[in-house]
Amino acid sequence: MSPLARWCHRHRLAVVLAWVGLLLALGAGVGAAGSAFGNSPTSQDTDSAKATALLQQASDSAAGKSGRVVWQVDGGEVTEPAAEKAMTGTLNGIADAPGVAAVTSPYTPVGKGQISKDGRTAYATVAFDQDVSDAQIDHVKALATEPETGSLHIALNGQAFTVNPEPNALADAMGIVLAFIVLLFVFRAVWVAALPIITAVIGVGTSAVTVMLLSHLITLSDTTLTLGSLIGLGVGIDYALFIVNRHRANLMSGMSVAESVAKSLNTSGRAVVFAGLTVVVALLGMLTLNVGIINGMAIGAAVTVVLTVLAAITLLPAMLGLIGPRVLSRKERRETAGGTQPRSSGRTGAWGRWAERVQARPKTLGLVALAVLTALAFPTLSLRLGASDDGNLPTSSTNRQAYDMIADGFGPGFNGPLVLAVQAPTAADKAPEAKLVTALGKVDGVASANAAPMKDGQTVGVVSVVPTTSPQSEATSDLIHHLRDDVIPQAEQGTSMKVYVGGVTASNDDFASVLMGKLPVFVLVIAALGFLLLTVAFRSLLIPAVGAVLNILSIGVAFGAIVVVFQYGFGAGLLGLGAGGPIESFVPILVVGIMFGLSMDYQVFLVSRMREEWSHTGDSHRAVRVGQAETGKVIAVAATIMVCVFGSFVFGGMRVISEFGVSLAVAVAADALLIRMMVVPALMHLCGKANWWLPRSLDRALPNVSVEGPAAQPAQPLHAVPGRETADLAN
């Protein structure tokens, strides 16, 4: 990669202007075309998907959004004259508002069932036209809450009134500011702190506008941009930091700026490209799952990583050329000018002393670290996938307040009824449908079951089943399976009637089941892929095997973190994240892909330096110690930056993104400090030269890939020499 580095250094101003021009051109394109984000269909070949297809046939396809206005009266009933007068006037005003198709009031014969048995809670349904605008919906919201008083509480929920929190730009900026402070504190040089951040921000900015344009060609979720920023800022700053750190070391050893840039890109730059490719491969590997929402997020995140890597290997060398020796602190520049050229032996400094300690006590420190990691990953055993709803929002949200009012007045299951699609092709199937409704009403866990009247010629009936438990409850999931496995087959027996359980609650449960079934296989595939990539990179079997197992452990830590915070609810309230509940179904899949890539990053940067030392000396213990000592500081700083960036997204107001932020921040910290700085070097000290063993036949078959560049070609890998590995392990 030296020619690329020299070209970028020689044409540094042109390269910088080209990146700025690209960003502005793409931004202009977005200004003209906008974006076209939309939620991808998540249904698979499931019972709920079949129910949805039938229900769409039976419903008015031209229907628009709908919502509910919910109200409660303190110490009284909603039928009291004052409350009824206020709400009737409000509902009449809503019915006359632009964009409203119909309002069903509880004060009419049709809507009398919309008043709770205790009389304290009522709701009205508001149906909108298909082409209703956001401004018209906002007008209805304002009308609905006008009569609220100290005793009359009004809240809104439903599809039309759902408030999706906007990404918090201040929280994103907080992560960048913290990253800058960390870099400035550690390296004491402004440009060392600024360059990685500038590189990452330009890479992420370019990818953001690219993804927005890409949304016109493929279906991308509206959370793709935020997820891409989360990943791109973390890896972008880290990738640039690794190159800048090597460049600084080269300058302090006496190299010229041009020579150092070429050397840095040909060593750390290669590692950055390899690490970035592993992240991209892991992300695109999710396409094999063939789940729409995950496909879009994976493609968007992969585009972000590709552009941040390109920025690191083109824009960064150009900026290093413009900055010159100012990438060093004043003290370092004086030492270099005075002929002082420190050369690390891995035996000085805090990280050198820590590396020596790990070498001296590998068993003890390795076991302690493994015990801590196991404890952090243990909550993963109770991982439960599902979908968040209004019940997981903070209590200050109007959607959450409406959810609680409905649960209080009508029962928790009323917030997520099951919708059964009854395919009744013949007139003889009408009687079995009626018997099914009767049977459903007697099932444990069912609060009520009602069938909508079927019109003449209609062959699809609709049955609404209200569970006694909330949509997120495990008991509701059990009820869905009981209806499908036991109740419905008995009703269908001897008839041509077919019944499918659908609705939002059932669809979420099916989606979670599909992904939970794919998750173990995906983890194993990712681990195997990591093993193969590391085998090619380091010409070893032991290092990839250890890396694959430890990658799974770091993924377990990520899962454990989100289970504790979001499923158990510990600390969720303090973070403003609402009540505990199941983990969003697609989050673990994406976390597996992302953490695989990030874990591989640290493994590549750590072991590539060890291998470089091994190729020079042939001393395995020295190679491990020096590699750990010389990369420990930069890996720790990189992990701290990622924790700052990922952690800042926790406060962004979006539950799904907060789940990513918590899981990745905790897992990166544990992976870098416990796995890479304790477990990996401890195991490598215990294994000695066996770390670099590779069978001759496999060595000949594998392609030659030099992560650290041709300047440090390794000695021949150890092959199967009887007794050699055993003797070394005994030392």
Side-chain angles (χ1 to χ4, degrees), residues 297-337:
M297 288 184 176
I299 292 172
V303 168
T304 302
V305 173
V306 167
L307 286 172
T308 54
V309 170
L310 286 176
I313 62 175
T314 58
L315 176 62
L316 181 58
M319 290 193 296
L320 289 173
L322 290 173
I323 300 304
R326 285 175 294 171
V327 75
L328 301 176
S329 67
R330 291 182 179 179
K331 179 182 177 181
E332 290 166 339
R333 292 202 297 271
R334 286 195 301 269
E335 290 177 352
T336 303

Side-chain angles (χ1 to χ4, degrees), residues 539-540 611 614 692-694 696 699 714-719:
R539 323 297 291 183
S540 164
R611 180 170 173 79
W614 159 257
W692 316 105
W693 178 80
L694 187 71
R696 290 185 185 276
D699 183 33
Q716 291 297 316
L718 296 181
H719 301 299

Side-chain angles (χ1 to χ4, degrees), residues 531 541-551 603 676 679-680 683 687:
F531 176 85
L541 290 181
L542 187 60
I543 292 173
V546 170
V549 173
L550 293 178
N551 283 355
Q603 185 78 345
R676 308 306 156 188
V679 178
V680 169
L683 290 175
C687 295

Side-chain angles (χ1 to χ4, degrees), residues 21-93:
L22 176 63
L23 180 58
L24 293 176
L26 292 172
V30 170
S35 61
F37 292 111
N39 292 321
S40 311
T42 58
S43 60
Q44 307 287 305
D45 185 18
T46 59
D47 203 64
S48 59
K50 296 173 183 175
T52 299
L54 288 173
L55 292 172
Q56 287 175 344
Q57 295 177 15
S59 65
D60 180 8
S61 60
K65 297 178 180 179
S66 64
R68 287 194 294 205
V69 180
V70 188
W71 61 95
Q72 272 186 345
V73 177
D74 284 346
E77 298 184 357
V78 295
T79 53
E80 292 178 354
E84 183 172 346
K85 180 180 179 181
M87 292 309 301
T88 298
T90 296
L91 295 177
N92 288 337

Side-chain angles (χ1 to χ4, degrees), residues 150-471:
S151 59
L152 178 62
H153 304 292
I154 303 172
L156 312 173
N157 72 350
Q159 180 190 16
F161 297 141
T162 296
V163 179
N164 294 317
E166 294 292 329
N168 190 337
L170 182 61
D172 301 351
M174 185 189 305
I176 295 174
V177 171
L178 289 175
F180 179 82
I181 292 172
V182 169
L183 288 169
L184 188 61
F185 176 78
V186 173
F187 293 103
R188 311 287 179 171
V190 173
W191 283 113
V192 179
L195 286 176
I197 291 175
I198 293 172
T199 304
V201 168
I202 291 180
V204 170
T206 305
S207 65
V209 289
T210 301
V211 168
M212 292 173 74
L213 292 174
L214 195 60
S215 67
H216 292 279
L217 303 178
I218 59 176
T219 304
L220 297 176
S221 167
D222 49 11
T223 59
T224 301
L225 272 183
T226 308
L227 179 62
S229 297
L230 182 149
I231 299 170
L233 285 175
V235 301
I237 295 173
D238 278 10
Y239 290 166
L241 175 60
F242 282 114
I243 294 174
V244 170
N245 187 64
R246 178 58 71 97
H247 176 62
R248 282 165 43 81
N250 291 338
L251 290 179
M252 287 188 288
S253 69
M255 287 187 188
S256 66
V257 173
E259 184 184 6
S260 175
V261 168
K263 176 75 172 179
S264 300
L265 207 61
N266 206 38
T267 52
S268 294
R270 285 174 176 265
V272 163
V273 171
F274 184 83
L277 286 176
T278 61
V279 179
V280 171
V281 169
L283 290 169
L284 295 183
M286 299 179 202
L287 299 180
T288 60
L289 299 174
N290 194 29
V291 178
I293 190 171
I294 292 179
N295 289 350
M297 288 184 176
I299 292 172
V303 168
T304 302
V305 173
V306 167
L307 286 172
T308 54
V309 170
L310 286 176
I313 62 175
T314 58
L315 176 62
L316 181 58
M319 290 193 296
L320 289 173
L322 290 173
I323 300 304
R326 285 175 294 171
V327 75
L328 301 176
S329 67
R330 291 182 179 179
K331 179 182 177 181
E332 290 166 339
R333 292 202 297 271
R334 286 195 301 269
E335 290 177 352
T336 303
T340 304
Q341 298 177 5
R343 181 181 179 85
S344 172
S345 64
R347 296 183 179 276
T348 60
W351 289 103
R353 291 190 294 272
W354 176 250
E356 289 179 337
R357 185 170 300 177
V358 173
Q359 181 180 356
R361 307 177 70 179
K363 291 182 181 179
T364 302
L365 293 176
L367 287 174
V368 168
L370 285 173
V372 174
L373 290 165
T374 302
L376 292 173
F378 185 76
T380 302
L381 297 177
S382 58
L383 174 68
R384 185 165 68 89
L385 302 185
S388 59
D389 58 21
D390 290 348
N392 297 116
L393 295 173
T395 53
S396 59
S397 165
T398 184
N399 300 111
R400 169 66 183 274
Q401 292 167 7
Y403 183 97
D404 291 342
M405 288 181 188
I406 291 292
D408 181 52
F410 300 90
F414 204 85
N415 281 301
L418 307 177
V419 183
L420 276 59
V422 181
Q423 196 171 25
T426 66
D429 292 323
K430 303 298 188 292
E433 181 189 3
K435 291 182 180 179
L436 171 63
V437 174
T438 302
L440 288 170
K442 299 177 182 179
V443 174
D444 289 340
V446 173
S448 64
N450 299 286
M454 292 181 66
K455 300 177 183 178
D456 292 339
Q458 188 176 347
T459 59
V460 177
V462 181
V463 178
S464 177
V465 177
V466 178
T468 58
T469 50
S470 69

